[in-house]
Amino acid sequence: MADRAALRAVFERAGVPLGGVLMVHASLSGTGAAPETVRDALLDALGPGGTLVVPAFTPENSDTSRAHRQLIEGLDEREVLAFRATMPPYDPDTTPCPTMGALAECVRTTPGAVRSAHPQTSLAGLGPRAPELLDGHHPHCHLGERSPLARLYEADARILLLRVGFEVCSALHLAEYRTTPPPPRRTYRCVVEDKGNWAEYEDAALDDSDFAAVGDRLPSDLLVRREWSGRPVVQFRMRPVIDEAIRQLSRRTSRLA
């Protein structure tokens, strides 16, 4: 089993900022580490003034996501309609985030944690700045200017990729919203307030297919690279990486226009 003090040392060597704001994407599979131990080691490295944030997305609360399609796979039309009618609405206090991994679910369920209000792309956090940073997540804005990602950018937050790559770095979605020209829009649907109450809204058509390539092209001096349990640990300031990603994704968008 992973030792809390040893893990804290790993995070400190990776540049986790004492007293800072840190958003973490993590895969603990194969490490033998309990998510509670990893959470506590991260909080130790951040100190009492630091704030820990994780993605607590709920793609199951949708009828277009891969997660939802997997849930209804093999059902006939009548069974799909029955399934949709009984889907529970998003509740920030109780709705789990199983696709986000053990650490995210651990943080979400920790006493004192706060969670943003978006029914599909919420974030959860612990620490003194979590209420401020996660408040006011507009229900029609996944990860743009009216989401916590914009406030994390302003707060000069750090990102930690713990044994995962840039392909799952959801902070890069903020760069998508800021590209020139802006991304196309699409319709999203999710369940809110009551079972079977489907809400529909428009927002940017999010596309993470280039995120791994964006990470590969980042200047090396923006990243602190370490290793834990046989896989990379990468830490970086959100602002310069988002700014560079905007340049890269804007060039992609311009080519497609």
Side-chain angles (χ1 to χ4, degrees):
M1 297 295 290
D3 176 79
R4 176 172 168 176
L7 268 176
R8 173 179 178 170
V10 170
F11 298 144
E12 289 175 340
R13 288 195 297 271
V16 169
L18 182 65
V21 177
L22 182 72
M23 183 175 180
V24 180
H25 297 75
S27 172
L28 306 185
S29 177
T31 67
E36 294 81 6
T37 302
V38 179
R39 174 202 62 196
D40 292 345
L42 286 164
L43 293 172
D44 290 345
L46 285 163
T51 297
L52 173 64
V53 176
V54 294
F57 300 169
T58 49
E60 305 82 9
N61 184 20
S62 166
D63 62 359
T64 57
S65 72
R66 183 184 304 110
H68 181 78
R69 290 195 297 270
Q70 290 173 343
L71 289 172
I72 64 172
E73 186 176 6
L75 302 183
D76 62 31
E77 183 177 354
R78 186 174 63 180
E79 290 169 331
V80 169
L81 290 174
F83 181 87
R84 285 169 58 90
T86 58
M87 281 176 60
Y90 171 73
D91 182 336
D93 294 328
T94 62
T95 301
C97 55
T99 60
M100 294 295 102
L103 178 65
E105 183 67 1
C106 175
V107 170
R108 182 193 73 79
T109 56
T110 298
V114 298
R115 189 181 191 183
S116 72
H118 198 283
Q120 292 178 279
T121 50
S122 66
L123 279 70
L126 291 165
R129 298 196 65 183
E132 159 208 349
L133 294 168
L134 303 188
D135 188 32
H137 194 167
H138 195 281
H140 298 172
C141 180
H142 281 283
L143 297 166
E145 304 303 334
R146 295 181 291 176
S147 81
L149 285 188
R151 287 188 285 280
L152 290 170
Y153 179 96
E154 293 302 322
D156 199 21
R158 307 290 184 99
I159 307 291
L160 185 71
L161 302 179
L162 185 59
R163 305 182 76 250
V164 296
F166 276 89
E167 66 274 5
V168 300
C169 182
S170 56
L172 294 180
H173 284 298
L174 181 62
E176 285 191 281
Y177 283 83
R178 296 181 175 182
T179 56
T180 303
R185 296 174 68 80
R186 54 157 288 192
T187 298
Y188 294 91
R189 288 178 295 273
C190 56
V191 185
V192 297
E193 297 178 356
D194 296 298
K195 286 183 178 181
N197 181 42
W198 286 82
E200 185 172 293
Y201 62 97
E202 280 196 356
D203 194 16
L206 301 179
D207 178 8
D208 59 9
S209 61
D210 277 0
F211 285 6
V214 168
D216 289 342
R217 293 192 293 262
L218 290 172
S220 60
D221 60 355
L222 295 182
L223 311 175
V224 178
R225 296 184 182 274
R226 296 292 185 268
E227 184 180 291
W228 174 55
S229 194
R231 295 180 66 179
V233 176
V234 181
Q235 183 273 132
F236 53 91
R237 287 179 58 210
M238 183 176 177
R239 281 184 186 172
V241 166
I242 294 300
D243 293 346
E244 171 60 22
I246 292 169
R247 287 188 285 271
Q248 292 191 31
L249 295 175
S250 292
R251 290 195 295 271
R252 175 196 70 177
T253 305
S254 297
R255 290 195 302 271
L256 295 175

